[in-house]
Amino acid sequence: MVIIVKQHTSPDELRQVIQPLEWLGLEVSVTQGIGHTVLGLLGDVSCVDVERFLSLPQVETVMEVPEPYKKANRKFHPQDTAVQVGGAHIGGGGFSVIAGPCSVESPGQVTEIARQVQQAGASFLRGGAFKPRTSPYAFQGMGEQALEWLEEAKAVTGLPIVSELTNPKYCDCFEEKVDVIQIGARNMQNFDLLREVGKMSKPVLLKRGLSNTYEEWILSAEYILAQGNEQVILCERGIRTMESYTRNTLDISAVPAIRKMSHLPVVVDPSHACGKSWMVEPLALAAAAVGADGLMVEVHNDPAHAKCDGQQSLTPMQFREMMEKVNHVVEAIGKRGTVGRITRLEPRKEGNGCLKKCL
Amino acid sequence: MVIIVKQHTSPDELRQVIQPLEWLGLEVSVTQGIGHTVLGLLGDVSCVDVERFLSLPQVETVMEVPEPYKKANRKFHPQDTAVQVGGAHIGGGGFSVIAGPCSVESPGQVTEIARQVQQAGASFLRGGAFKPRTSPYAFQGMGEQALEWLEEAKAVTGLPIVSELTNPKYCDCFEEKVDVIQIGARNMQNFDLLREVGKMSKPVLLKRGLSNTYEEWILSAEYILAQGNEQVILCERGIRTMESYTRNTLDISAVPAIRKMSHLPVVVDPSHACGKSWMVEPLALAAAAVGADGLMVEVHNDPAHAKCDGQQSLTPMQFREMMEKVNHVVEAIGKRGTVGRITRLEPRKEGNGCLKKCL
Amino acid sequence: MVIIVKQHTSPDELRQVIQPLEWLGLEVSVTQGIGHTVLGLLGDVSCVDVERFLSLPQVETVMEVPEPYKKANRKFHPQDTAVQVGGAHIGGGGFSVIAGPCSVESPGQVTEIARQVQQAGASFLRGGAFKPRTSPYAFQGMGEQALEWLEEAKAVTGLPIVSELTNPKYCDCFEEKVDVIQIGARNMQNFDLLREVGKMSKPVLLKRGLSNTYEEWILSAEYILAQGNEQVILCERGIRTMESYTRNTLDISAVPAIRKMSHLPVVVDPSHACGKSWMVEPLALAAAAVGADGLMVEVHNDPAHAKCDGQQSLTPMQFREMMEKVNHVVEAIGKRGTVGRITRLEPRKEGNGCLKKCL
Amino acid sequence: MVIIVKQHTSPDELRQVIQPLEWLGLEVSVTQGIGHTVLGLLGDVSCVDVERFLSLPQVETVMEVPEPYKKANRKFHPQDTAVQVGGAHIGGGGFSVIAGPCSVESPGQVTEIARQVQQAGASFLRGGAFKPRTSPYAFQGMGEQALEWLEEAKAVTGLPIVSELTNPKYCDCFEEKVDVIQIGARNMQNFDLLREVGKMSKPVLLKRGLSNTYEEWILSAEYILAQGNEQVILCERGIRTMESYTRNTLDISAVPAIRKMSHLPVVVDPSHACGKSWMVEPLALAAAAVGADGLMVEVHNDPAHAKCDGQQSLTPMQFREMMEKVNHVVEAIGKRGTVGRITRLEPRKEGNGCLKKCL
């Protein structure tokens, strides 16, 4: 339930509305809107006497919110949320690209990839340090060491770091070293972990679960918001269906659906969705056209020898080509200057050749 | 299995390759490629002595085709197939839009919608005459009468007609009156019907089944091709998943996948995929960006009173707005002049106001 | 909407209720229940003045039926429907087993299998004559000839024949030669075919579609019932999910769900559900325990060389062993004498050895 | 890869096989089988020279294990694993029932339910203390206090306690107070949590994820086994499909599939699978018939007022009736004395009437 309080209501008058709600055992979240103040009531609202509140002079209206999510609900917060990280941002009208290797493998690797994706227009660097793997015998990531290598890459490029957290015990470490905390698909309903990142000061990128509905996904975001961390980015990465040609089935409709249901930004991960490097570009273009706030793309200097997910990684060159096309589509749907500027390559000095030498 | 025969092979030399294959009980389909001739072998190829054929001087190479589809296989027919209908076409580089009401309801209605979608850039008119409905008590379409009304709309606008066939007994009627035969999702594996339309001279638009894989879909196309009708258009219209917010889940990856696997054109039906009119536009933009050969969109003059699927139909005005944006995306990915030209509206004479008066 | 008319209402009084309903354009189906008569109203019931009908002395009550299916609805027809075929039956408390080869391959084959499954307790013989196959190049069945071979097997054993119909053009032939018309999963929503079998005098076994809900399945049955054929058996055969270890996922809950929603009998096909012969027995036991009205099981004399679906076929010996266990479970849940009597084998004369010799 | 060492091999000769494997960086797990010793090789086995090991006199054979799971693999460990807890057990031939409330709500409640389910034949008590809920605003369980109430119930009845763990921080507490650690469906791929319970001394009941394959599920068990905890019970609780009539779709085939693939016991939770109390009994019978090692069933003294999942809970009376039928089916498939003995009720003193008075 939401109570809309009129413009020019004094703090004292506002308190007269809030206090009886708190007596009823409700938590009241106050949001200053344009021309009015929105009070979100969390808890059992069946006890609220709607007529009584409607009769207060400072109350404009009382709205039922049939959806079980409140803080993430667009009805309750009509403006787009933009998540700011240093100079970069996701949401609020732009189009931002997160790129980097599935897994951080060595310090040289990640810094070189960071430089290349930055030149191609990415504004965030992704890199896995702790990898949740289906098999206990598969490569599980380089751990804390990898976070240090990501910090070196950030020192060189300035790109903020996105990395996945899988265990509450690393919260302090991620709070210090990582700019955006990623929660993976397999942990989307690890509610204890969600509560922990809800207490952190860093934005959270929340991937959709393998087989979760939009509502369940937003409710998982609500776990984070309810703890006070309001900087949540949703990431569509494909769902499980009977089709096995692609690794997962990209649910492109999730983007307009989430934008209707919630004010939180939503990005698309075409790499995990399809699992095939040659299909990443067309899916990235579709994501740009459908109105996503950005992309998360796997880029690897040597996909054939990547420690994981090589078959779905782009080379830096393929990524650059994709970014040029993505830019055209972003402009075609009327967004401007949103992708990070693409630096012009000087043919003899850069490219894959250099990369191989550097590493 | 495919045998590639060298350029400049005489008809006699070609016959020396084909004859022993036919003796083995195989059906041989001959396709003239650029610089070579392709022989497609249908039947049990386990008896073919590959070495023996490789040793023939006129044979360039012999390729295994692990996929069970042959005629629809891109390996076997690398060029895109373009389906021509009068002046209009689908596939082969363009972007073509099929639009019209889910169900034809009255003669005035369909002609007026046809004029409006044509002015907005559509190059085909869709309209249901025989409607397959989940319930026997739901509106089942106006039947043969509706085909006549579609013909009137075609007489006025010149737009070729796309309409769904559900029963072999109407084949003759459709052969005469309809330009593109639609096979609906629920009949995708109605193999007897596929065989029948395979004998017709009209192109076939084959929708993907509710829960069918890419391979099964192409194999259903193969049923049609194998009967001699090589003009098949595939139409992605969403699959069934656990997500119930949308009517179906649009599998946008189907477009690049089909383009990789087959040479047949592939279009997207965003209307049935999402079931919500407000979501049709973003999905149409995604389809344009991902590389589809066109769209199939439901347009109704009065969605609130449509006899079926009103909640997913665009008004002619919404369709026009969508088409302008689609055009920008089509150009952004480097296709040109592909959508039918959008006629400039003269504000006072046209539009919904007029439409309501006319009907 | 359903109108319950009191016991001891004269035909004239009944007509006084029905006539105004027909004037309203409704179709009225009359069912004689125990202690009352049930009028089922088909069509747009929004025009019915419920109060007016309630005020008639012969009317007991008027019930809304929120489900879109009427004739198949248990609310409307609380007693179980039992489908009778000669001396055999399905539904109404028993447990009946349909068994035989996926595809009829030769006359000797099917008669021999028929004898063996009969001795093991089956009361119906299944055998495919027209096989709907995913690929146009796969074996498509022996056609009408196979129906004659089935008739020979029936002449020897007396077992009624269950065979799949895929095309309306064979309706007359099936009406004459087949005892139970099977509609396959891929034709569950081939509404034109459903209407045709609705006009036939033979019972219909309707398989669930690959990805259809219970309600859609019952609505497809309703297409048949609405044409006057009230002898419909539903057959659960597994649905499509993300699990690929089994061919399909047997939805065992379909049995209690259908029994709650409808009065029609429901049987289980474990062979197509799992696609693995070793898993047929445990699934058959589960089907017996969950309360199904019977089974449909593939049995082949030589699974390794079957023309289709050999990997999921039982040998006659495996079938006999399964039947003994099924019988124990059927008795354990309180059904008696339901499976056809199992004939005692005399070891030296029968069994697979003989079968091989015979064929 | 698995190396089978001959019977009567001395420890020294065994060491001659193991040592070179360890030099290759492999972990070797040794299992004493009947008539031979099995060495399971974990790690990158591509470096193993198979011929060389085959030539050793004490080696019987070397087997490739194509499945990615080793310790959970039946090929590697052909005997059924039976998990022992005090006098009770799951697996190894019996049929054991875990029953109790979804969520522990008060001390009196859980003790009374425990007594009743014990008298009806249950041999384990389930009760949720920490409830993972989709919404952050839903009841989250009574926490550690609930564990104490479960201990009281155990003190009265002797039933071992099964309760769900969601956070590594409670491992010590569960190690002390709980007999079987449950990992819920949403945490099936919370690999960090799996590793933690792999280090505990208590058996683990691992539920299948909402949309996970059999192989992924066994691999999650492998995470636990690989840490040294070999007492894992798998629990099928329904998967997500397009059918929404039931809460989930019970995949009954999982039971024979898991029994083929692994030696670990597998039980079925019909309550979460269907979400409807009236459907629990038929599904429980199906689970017994299909060969499951047991059941996990929700029982609540007052389902209408349960704090969660009341609509799927049985009353103690309904549970008793179900258990009697389950017993008949268990016996019908040839298992004996497997369900805990059902105590005869003395009508005047027990039953729901008493329960209401007690609470």
Side-chain angles (χ1 to χ4, degrees), chain D residues 247 271 275-278 280 298 303-304 306 308-314:
Chain D
R247 184 173 175 180
S271 310
K276 295 174 187 292
S277 60
W278 62 265
V280 170
E298 287 190 2
C308 71
D309 287 347
Q311 76 290 350
Q312 73 193 31
S313 292
L314 300 183

Side-chain angles (χ1 to χ4, degrees), chain A residues 42 68 70 132-137 140 166-167 186-187 189-192 195 211 216 219 222-223 240, chain D residues 42 68 70 132-137 140 166-167 186 189-192 195 211 216 219 222-223 240:
Chain A
L42 309 179
K70 318 289 173 188
R133 301 302 295 279
T134 302
S135 164
Y137 310 122
Q140 310 271 323
T166 59
N167 193 322
R186 284 165 182 77
N187 280 314
Q189 293 195 313
N190 180 346
F191 304 117
D192 285 88
R195 273 192 212 97
S211 195
E216 289 170 339
L219 277 166
E222 189 87 10
Y223 264 94
R240 289 240 162 138
Chain D
L42 309 179
K70 317 288 174 189
R133 302 300 297 277
T134 303
S135 164
Y137 309 123
Q140 311 272 324
T166 59
N167 193 322
R186 285 165 183 78
Q189 293 194 313
N190 179 347
F191 303 115
D192 285 88
R195 273 192 212 96
S211 195
E216 289 170 339
L219 278 166
E222 189 87 9
Y223 263 94
R240 288 238 163 141

